Amino acid sequence: MGSDDFGALVAEQLAAMLDELGGPALSPAEILGDGRTRDRDLTELGLGSLDWMRLAVRIGNETGLELPQSALVDQGSRTVAGWARALAAVAEPGAPAR
């Protein structure tokens, strides 16, 4: 599974969570198709810290992978694109992130 595959998974889970929380109605395709949205900090998309932690748990349950601490706390990494890269790196240590 590459970064693009993980990006689709993160976008899917994010769209579902935003819907549950009554946040902005974004489809996974809209999230992935807009570079600004894909690279926005999850808090800017309406998720509080407990929400993005729940999102990380959901993604972990789906993939069996744990996001690294840096992807959870670094504002520049706490994005759909950042999480996709982090998951790809965890899935295949030493492989270049695409």
Side-chain angles (χ1 to χ4, degrees), residues 29-97:
E30 290 171 314
I31 293 168
L32 293 174
D34 181 0
R36 289 176 298 186
T37 303
R38 194 175 50 243
D39 292 328
R40 284 178 72 187
D41 188 279
L42 296 175
T43 59
E44 294 175 10
L45 294 172
L47 299 185
S49 59
L50 292 178
D51 298 324
W52 51 259
M53 290 302 292
R54 282 185 30 232
L55 179 61
V57 169
R58 288 168 71 158
I59 291 167
N61 289 340
E62 186 78 23
T63 63
L65 301 171
E66 186 174 328
L67 281 161
Q69 184 74 17
S70 61
L72 299 173
V73 297
D74 293 346
Q75 190 172 13
S77 299
R78 198 175 47 232
T79 66
V80 171
W83 282 19
R85 286 189 302 271
L87 288 166
V90 169
E92 296 184 50

